[in-house]
Amino acid sequence: MTTTTKNNELNTPPAGAAEMPSPKEACIFLSDYASWLLGCGATCIRIEKNVRRMAGRWNMEPEMTILPSHIHITVWNRDRSHSYSNNVRLHHTGISFDINTRLSKLSWAVADGKTSFAEARREFEEIVRVRPANPWMVWLLASLANMSFCRLFGGDFAAMLIVLCGTLAGYKLKQVMLEDGRDVRFTFFCCAFFSSVIGAAGYVFHWGDTPEIALATSVLYLIPGIPYINSVSDLLDGHYICSFSRFMNAAVLTACLSAGLCGGLLLMNIQWL
Amino acid sequence: MNDQATIWILTVGCLLLIFLFRNIQQMRKETGHRKIFELEQDNYGIYDDYDEE
């Protein structure tokens, strides 16, 4: 009964049908939308749901293939008489929860009929034009968060202070190197190296009672947690290619981080075994 | 001061030098030849007016 009602609802053109986009317009918009969503760190299931939600409102059926760095979308009209396909590269925007949330809200606004196609396009342009969060604020907050990690793992005040300094220096270096367009793997290596050397201050100058916690937590801010979580989410959803790609990206970064940490430990002659 | 402390100070000093040079580079990029050139362009207009007077 519910299925029948739902099908009837889908077959009935929604109010404001005059503003309905053509399959071509819808496909171009949805492919741009999906590439931004993939670029800002959304999982495959979220991308599929959001795109379907909006296409359903416009009385269309999307079929999509999500690859690690491309999205292929075909949009059909309801009677399957006309379709349009588009293949787009993902936008390398960096992980942004702000863009992610705003794009999801946009999809709900479209699905609820609060936003027409023209308005949705305008709003999308505004969302993607948003500047990233203030780098100075991110720098400070990430450092404070890493310092809190040190406390959570049982570090004392001296260890927390060391971790704060190590993260401030390492995170600044990360921002500077990425801004200059350096390779992200090399950046992770350098940041982990310098952060671990600063984190070893507890051992070198005998500050505090928990120098091992300061050293271990000094590089935690570099762990690519979101790609790992997204990889598991994609795996559960059956998007194995994306899942594997995300996992390998995260694993390579973790390996670079580990190499930097080992370099720091070797330089400071700290015996960890 | 032992060797470990010396290496630590040298490494952290190296990092600070990187930041210092980077800041100098940034500052030169923002207030370097381009700015002087723009100022010259502005002044050119002023001299033109002066000559006319």
Side-chain angles (χ1 to χ4, degrees):
Chain A
M1 181 64 184
T2 316
T3 318
T4 318
T5 316
K6 198 177 175 183
N7 284 341
N8 285 341
E9 277 171 8
L10 287 173
N11 289 328
T12 315
E19 290 179 0
M20 291 294 158
S22 67
K24 181 182 175 180
E25 288 173 324
C27 183
I28 290 171
F29 173 76
L30 290 175
S31 54
D32 274 347
Y33 176 90
S35 72
W36 270 91
L37 210 48
L38 183 65
C40 74
T43 56
C44 290
I45 191 165
R46 180 188 279 271
I47 297 167
E48 278 188 342
K49 275 187 177 176
N50 288 9
V51 167
R52 273 187 202 290
R53 191 180 296 142
M54 287 193 287
R57 176 68 197 177
W58 297 325
N59 223 15
M60 288 176 201
E61 283 177 18
E63 297 295 341
M64 55 197 301
T65 312
I66 304 172
L67 294 167
S69 55
H70 289 86
I71 292 183
H72 181 235
I73 297 188
T74 302
V75 176
W76 290 88
N77 61 356
R78 190 60 70 176
D79 59 1
R80 292 232 160 207
S81 59
H82 187 52
S83 73
Y84 194 86
S85 293
N86 199 13
N87 199 2
V88 285
R89 270 188 74 83
L90 92 157
H91 283 274
H92 288 283
T93 52
I95 289 165
S96 166
F97 287 124
D98 184 35
I99 295 177
N100 200 331
T101 311
R102 291 178 70 180
L103 287 177
S104 287
K105 269 175 75 178
L106 174 65
S107 79
W108 277 112
V110 170
D112 294 342
K114 291 175 187 165
T115 306
S116 68
F117 178 69
E119 284 169 348
R121 259 207 314 214
R122 215 172 305 126
E123 205 171 314
F124 174 71
E125 292 296 328
E126 273 174 30
I127 292 170
V128 299
R129 230 184 292 131
V130 165
R131 303 275 304 147
N134 184 354
W136 291 97
M137 194 182 72
V138 176
W139 175 57
L140 192 66
L141 290 179
S143 306
L144 289 173
N146 208 32
M147 186 184 80
S148 311
F149 260 135
C150 175
R151 182 68 192 150
L152 279 176
F153 285 110
D156 58 7
F157 184 72
M160 285 167 69
L161 212 60
I162 290 167
V163 170
L164 179 69
C165 293
T167 314
L168 282 171
Y171 203 90
K172 192 70 204 160
L173 186 66
K174 185 184 167 193
Q175 285 180 331
V176 164
M177 288 182 79
L178 290 179
E179 203 177 289
D180 286 353
R182 307 270 175 233
D183 185 78
V184 69
R185 289 155 291 192
F186 180 61
T187 303
F188 268 60
F189 174 83
C190 293
C191 295
F193 175 77
F194 282 112
S195 288
S196 60
V197 168
I198 295 172
Y203 277 114
V204 177
F205 302 107
H206 308 287
W207 291 337
D209 299 323
T210 54
E212 72 284 352
I213 292 171
L215 184 58
T217 50
S218 62
V219 292
L220 271 188
Y221 70 97
L222 288 168
I223 298 283
I226 297 168
Y228 274 128
I229 294 168
N230 284 355
S231 154
V232 174
S233 168
D234 289 347
L235 184 75
L236 294 175
D237 195 40
H239 288 276
Y240 298 118
I241 297 175
C242 265
S243 166
F244 184 70
S245 160
R246 287 191 212 255
F247 179 78
M248 282 314 293
N249 275 335
V252 166
L253 291 181
T254 311
C256 295
L257 181 167
S258 311
L261 176 64
C262 289
L265 293 178
L266 282 172
L267 182 74
M268 299 314 300
N269 198 23
I270 291 167
Q271 306 295 324
W272 68 87
L273 287 177
Chain B
M1 196 186 292
N2 58 10
D3 287 349
Q4 221 180 6
T6 313
I7 292 168
W8 191 91
I9 290 166
L10 283 175
T11 314
V12 175
C14 181
L15 181 65
L16 291 176
L17 273 178
I18 291 170
F19 286 141
L20 186 70
F21 279 116
R22 159 84 192 178
N23 279 342
I24 291 169
Q25 203 182 18
Q26 196 90 19
M27 218 178 336
R28 285 184 68 182
K29 208 181 277 178
E30 285 170 8
T31 58
H33 298 298
R34 194 179 297 167
K35 281 277 177 196
I36 293 166
F37 181 72
E38 280 170 15
L39 279 172
E40 280 175 355
Q41 290 286 321
D42 291 344
N43 288 341
Y44 187 73
I46 295 166
Y47 290 130
D48 275 355
D49 293 343
Y50 185 74
D51 287 344
E52 278 169 19
E53 281 168 15

